[in-house]
Amino acid sequence: MLHLALAVVAAGLSRPATEFSGKYVSGTGDINFLGLLDVAARQHSMDETEYQTVAQLYRGDWDGLMEGTGWNAWWTQNSYGPSFSAIPFMSDIEFAATAHSNAWWFNSIGDNKTAGLTHEGPAPDGCLCDAAIPCVDNQCCYYKQVCCAPPSDTHDWKTNLAFGSGRRECAPT
């Protein structure tokens, strides 16, 4: 009797296979998951009109990506995970642009000599960027977010290093 009850419960829990057919993904299974995969693939398509695409982040004069129209830089720490998880969907052009954009960030690691784009003074050795752009006059990186003006008078490297991006107050130097 117990076996019959378990069989009835198990039969009620199993879902019938459902067919999904999207623009890029089709198959049998969880239609919500398959639908999300299809949207992800569409966001890497050059002919997509319904969803925002990676191609909309591309700047030809940089041969790289700019995260959002008002940010004017590539925020690698925001985009590193999504960039790598998207590699299977990327075209050769998207892959190259993403690689170039991430390289600006990695090539701008603090060296105790180079000032950032907000002119806050040389970044400590090993300091990572907040965001990066193609180099202009050896300045490629925002090492700190500007949270109040003027940044050169109100930012303290030790405070920023100790509290990281979670602290948005400015400390006198």
Side-chain angles (χ1 to χ4, degrees):
M1 188 68 146
L2 179 60
H3 292 290
L4 179 60
L6 290 175
V8 169
V9 170
L13 292 177
S14 67
R15 295 183 193 164
T18 307
E19 289 290 324
F20 176 83
S21 181
K23 186 171 182 176
Y24 293 100
V25 175
S26 62
T28 303
D30 183 338
I31 60 170
N32 292 326
F33 180 71
L34 294 171
L36 290 173
L37 287 176
D38 191 60
V39 169
R42 289 173 63 183
Q43 289 178 313
H44 290 276
S45 166
M46 298 303 279
D47 63 347
E48 176 58 38
T49 58
E50 185 178 354
Y51 296 102
Q52 185 177 18
T53 67
V54 174
Q56 294 171 337
L57 303 175
Y58 182 76
R59 268 188 69 159
D61 57 333
W62 288 4
D63 194 20
L65 304 173
M66 179 176 72
E67 191 172 328
T69 57
W71 288 24
N72 204 30
W74 180 245
W75 265 254
T76 303
Q77 83 276 16
N78 292 352
S79 308
Y80 194 75
S83 295
F84 277 97
S85 63
I87 287 174
F89 298 114
M90 288 183 181
S91 67
D92 291 343
I93 294 170
E94 289 173 322
F95 181 82
T98 302
H100 294 159
S101 303
N102 286 341
W104 305 328
W105 192 80
F106 285 109
N107 293 338
S108 298
I109 292 173
D111 60 5
N112 237 2
K113 299 174 196 158
T114 307
L117 290 163
T118 51
H119 308 289
E120 64 269 353
D125 196 29
C127 181
L128 298 177
C129 297
D130 187 42
I133 63 170
C135 287
V136 177
D137 297 326
N138 201 31
Q139 294 188 336
C140 323
C141 183
Y142 294 98
Y143 289 106
K144 295 188 273 183
Q145 291 185 5
V146 177
C147 60
C148 52
S152 60
D153 294 338
T154 57
H155 278 84
D156 174 21
W157 280 111
K158 292 176 186 151
T159 301
N160 272 9
L161 291 172
F163 295 107
S165 62
R167 183 177 170 105
R168 293 287 180 243
E169 299 174 29
C170 293
T173 55

